[in-house]
Amino acid sequence: GQQLNQSPQSMFIQEGEDVSMNCTSSSIFNTWLWYKQDPGEGPVLLIALYKAGELTSNGRLTAQFGITRKDSFLNISASIPSDVGIYFCAGQLGAGNMLTFGGGTRLMVKP
Amino acid sequence: NAGVTQTPKFQVLKTGQSMTLQCAQDMNHNSMYWYRQDPGMGLRLIYYSASEGTTDKGEVPNGYNVSRLNKREFSLRLESAAPSQTSVYFCASSATSGDRGQYFGPGTRLTVT
């Protein structure tokens, strides 16, 4: 099936630093989603992007829907210890289509 | 309002044993999903149920069966467990099929020895 390449696979940063991660696909998607998974829990939706070029913020999180519709980026500003977890991107071709998930970026924050 | 609940939280099986993973949601959602999560692979869809009374295969259905018992409950059965089925299993639900807002349960960690 389709594959989403998410990078980096893991990051170990100092508290207060900014974080960037991205997701790329060989085919287009019409919706991009970003989820966060806390240890021992299921993923929780952070941001949804519906339009090429769209830039959306949710607190310290900002995500962008790439203009080619084949990529998306997530930035976290001024990281804090509770940002620790695995961040997943997911693409959806259209309403009614299933989600395709990336492999995840594991974020570790050193206080 | 518990959202999506899954039982059990942990399970260890021997090769060849069978078991059923249970999932229930109290959000009156029409669609429910079963995913498996393996390191570095993200979440892969096993089966889904777009609405009560229907089920369809996802990306990795082999070795699994599902039952949409009613609108609230969607179970996943392993008839003859294999070590390759060692994984974390997540159930999710959404208002409609493919709805962007999928809500996930806490997961079941399954080990097959």
Side-chain angles (χ1 to χ4, degrees):
Chain A
Q2 290 176 312
Q3 293 290 324
L4 292 186
N5 297 309
Q6 195 169 342
S7 65
Q9 286 190 338
S10 63
M11 305 177 73
F12 189 36
I13 62 168
Q14 193 76 34
E15 182 178 358
E17 288 183 353
D18 297 342
V19 172
S20 286
M21 59 190 79
N22 68 77
C23 205
T24 59
S25 171
S26 56
S27 50
I28 63 170
F29 287 104
N30 291 313
T31 298
W32 283 94
L33 306 164
W34 285 93
Y35 285 83
K36 183 194 177 198
Q37 183 180 23
D38 288 327
E41 300 293 330
V44 173
L45 183 64
L46 296 174
I47 291 181
L49 302 156
Y50 304 116
K51 202 169 156 183
E54 180 181 354
L55 187 73
T56 296
S57 293
N58 178 5
R60 293 179 295 105
L61 278 62
T62 301
Q64 183 159 27
F65 189 144
I67 198 76
T68 64
R69 294 193 287 162
K70 292 184 179 181
D71 57 9
S72 179
F73 304 88
L74 177 69
N75 296 317
I76 305 173
S77 62
S79 59
I80 58 179
S82 62
D83 290 334
V84 163
I86 304 177
Y87 292 79
F88 290 101
C89 62
Q92 186 181 32
L93 192 55
N97 293 108
M98 296 301 112
L99 301 182
T100 299
F101 283 85
T105 294
R106 183 180 295 273
L107 178 64
M108 293 160 279
V109 179
K110 185 177 177 183
Chain B
N1 192 338
V4 180
T5 56
Q6 291 183 236
T7 55
K9 201 158 175 65
F10 301 95
Q11 183 71 51
V12 179
L13 292 177
K14 293 188 190 316
T15 298
Q17 286 185 319
S18 62
M19 80 160 294
T20 300
L21 281 63
Q22 307 287 353
C23 174
Q25 52 90 10
D26 62 3
M27 295 174 281
N28 201 34
H29 283 169
N30 290 313
S31 304
M32 298 184 74
Y33 313 82
W34 276 105
Y35 292 89
R36 60 176 289 172
Q37 182 180 30
D38 302 295
M41 299 288 290
L43 291 128
R44 292 183 294 169
L45 185 65
I46 305 171
Y47 269 94
Y48 67 100
S49 171
S51 60
E52 188 179 353
T54 69
T55 60
D56 285 287
K57 294 178 181 179
E59 184 186 350
V60 289
N62 291 345
Y64 305 96
N65 283 302
V66 290
S67 295
R68 183 75 183 266
L69 304 167
N70 47 55
K71 191 171 185 179
R72 288 187 64 246
E73 297 172 290
F74 188 38
S75 62
L76 178 72
R77 183 158 178 84
L78 286 72
E79 288 292 349
S80 179
S84 61
Q85 293 178 305
T86 293
S87 188
V88 182
Y89 291 85
F90 288 100
C91 177
S93 71
S94 66
T96 57
S97 176
D99 190 311
R100 298 150 182 142
Q102 289 188 20
Y103 295 81
F104 286 82
T108 295
R109 186 174 294 274
L110 175 68
T111 302
V112 183
T113 61

